[in-house]
Amino acid sequence: MRVIGLMSGTSYDAIDAAAADLELVGDSLVMRPLGMVSEPYDDALREALTAALPPGTTTMAEVCLLDTRIGQAFAAAAVRADRELCGGRAELVASHGQTVHHWADGPAVHGTLQLGQPAWIAEATGLPVAADFRPRDIAAGGQGAPLVSLVDLLWLRGRPGRPVALNIGGIANLTAPDGTAFDTGPGCALIDAAARGFSGGALTYDTDGALAARGRVHGPLLERLLREPYYALPPPKTTGRELFHLGRLRDALAGCGTLPAEDVVATLTMLTARTVADAVRSVGATEVIASGGGTRNPVLTRMLAERLGGVPLRPSDELGLPSDAKEAYAFAVLGFLTAHGLPGTEPASTGARGPRVLGSLTPGAGGLRLPPPAARRPVRLLLE
Ligand SMILES: Nc1ncnc2c1ncn2[C@@H]1O[C@H](COP(=O)(O)OP(=O)(O)O)[C@@H](O)[C@H]1O
Ligand SMILES: [Mg+2]
């Protein structure tokens, strides 16, 4: 089955659309990656999202507008992926949507909201759409995240040692071989917020770590930031922009005097490196397989590698999954599993009562015709 996975993470920089041919062969899921296209959010939509997300507030009218505009933007990315990657022969779209709220209350998650109305995707592509993957796991007592953990486990199964999959997006998360998976805290979210704030919006992130490279880590600010109780919570735990946004950073900065922008960005980069490295060590990793936009920040990866000591840090590309596309491919896999009546969660990761078939389905132009349910869950993901 040819599936398009659509993903935009907490950085809301772009919609990533990855296409893959997926097939169940015995107890393996065989995936042939077909490529990825990335459609940046246009400036108006990105600004509307920035205004609506914490520390901003919003209205239901604005939520409706965002749901529509994001759905249309996801639809455009899906149309492009079908044309350029699938020769117009895609069979299913799996859309993560755009997370706008993750209702976490310490260790408990009560709800999560992803926008990007799937009807627009179904209308533009004519394809059935699987969307809203997270809520079912929450209804089953789980965190609804990190959902990519099941794909990580299938993909890294059998690899010697304790390989840990790490994704550094707006928020950073990891998956360990025993199924332990959680958000470690900020990935790029605070760095992006600071770069945006200090540049008056001219920068949306610290390109190639240029600001951080010119700055010095400010010890007292780092200590204040590390006091955030989230870091000490045991897994399973997940978080989002509700906790890690510009307002929190401003609170931490108050009382630190006036710091140069470069020093603040260097300190935030160290905050991510340190909290990720601590989390990686806590699960006994022997190697780290890294993905996500944060791996493009050389100052961050250098700080992280230093703090990991001898534990090697490898890009996921080395194992066949392009670092920028990994999460979009993961959602293509989750969509495939849903279409085949197979659970998309690992309860050891999300803390749910059991594995669940995820998502809501929107029929395509030809109604909703699904393949017969698969007899058993795959135990590994093989890349072709
Ligand atoms: N060249 C780069 N230099 C520094 N940071 C980068 C670079 N490219 C991407 N990033 C970071 O990666 C983030 C996007 O990563 P991504 O994996 O798409 O995250 P998300 O899943 O949250 O959307 C950007 O917001 C930025 O912080
Ligand atoms: Mg992104």
Side-chain angles (χ1 to χ4, degrees), residues 61-136:
E62 193 66 24
V63 171
C64 180
L65 180 142
L66 286 171
D67 192 37
T68 301
R69 294 275 186 269
I70 294 169
Q72 292 166 339
F74 271 64
V79 166
R80 201 182 139 203
D82 190 17
R83 189 178 61 231
E84 294 178 19
L85 308 173
C86 303
R89 296 202 310 279
E91 293 157 89
L92 175 73
V93 179
S95 175
H96 173 268
Q98 177 67 56
T99 296
V100 289
H101 196 76
H102 192 66
W103 181 11
D105 180 9
V109 173
H110 304 297
T112 189
L113 184 61
Q114 284 74 42
L115 298 184
Q117 173 50 245
W120 292 100
I121 307 170
E123 186 65 22
T125 60
L127 299 172
V129 182
D132 273 325
F133 287 89
R134 299 190 186 278
R136 182 59 182 273

Side-chain angles (χ1 to χ4, degrees), residues 231-250:
Y231 301 122
L233 287 177
K237 58 174 176 175
T238 51
T239 186
R241 288 186 161 266
E242 301 71 34
L243 210 52
F244 298 106
H245 60 72
L246 195 55
R248 293 297 182 99
L249 172 59
R250 288 202 185 106

Side-chain angles (χ1 to χ4, degrees), residues 8-9 11-14 16:
S8 173
S11 303
Y12 58 99
D13 54 325
D16 303 326

Side-chain angles (χ1 to χ4, degrees), residues 7-16 38 98 167-171 187-189 191-193 196 204-210 241 291-300 323-325 327:
M7 174 73 200
S8 173
T10 39
S11 303
Y12 58 99
D13 54 325
I15 301 158
D16 303 326
S38 195
Q98 177 67 56
N167 189 76
I168 310 179
I171 298 294
C188 302
I191 302 171
D192 289 359
R196 193 177 273 139
T204 54
Y205 57 87
D206 179 20
T207 315
D208 300 334
R241 288 186 161 266
S291 60
T295 62
R296 290 177 172 259
N297 180 331
V299 178
L300 175 57
S323 163
D324 291 341
E327 293 224 310

Side-chain angles (χ1 to χ4, degrees), residues 302-364:
R302 196 192 63 230
M303 287 176 173
L304 177 58
E306 277 167 17
R307 299 205 70 89
L308 285 175
V311 179
L313 183 64
R314 303 205 159 90
S316 64
D317 309 63
E318 279 183 21
L319 279 74
L321 273 185
S323 163
D324 291 341
K326 197 192 112 181
E327 293 224 310
Y329 279 120
F331 275 90
V333 170
L334 294 180
F336 176 91
L337 294 174
T338 293
H340 288 79
L342 292 168
T345 49
E346 168 52 57
S349 300
T350 66
R353 286 186 289 279
R356 292 290 185 272
V357 183
L358 299 178
S360 306
L361 288 160
T362 301

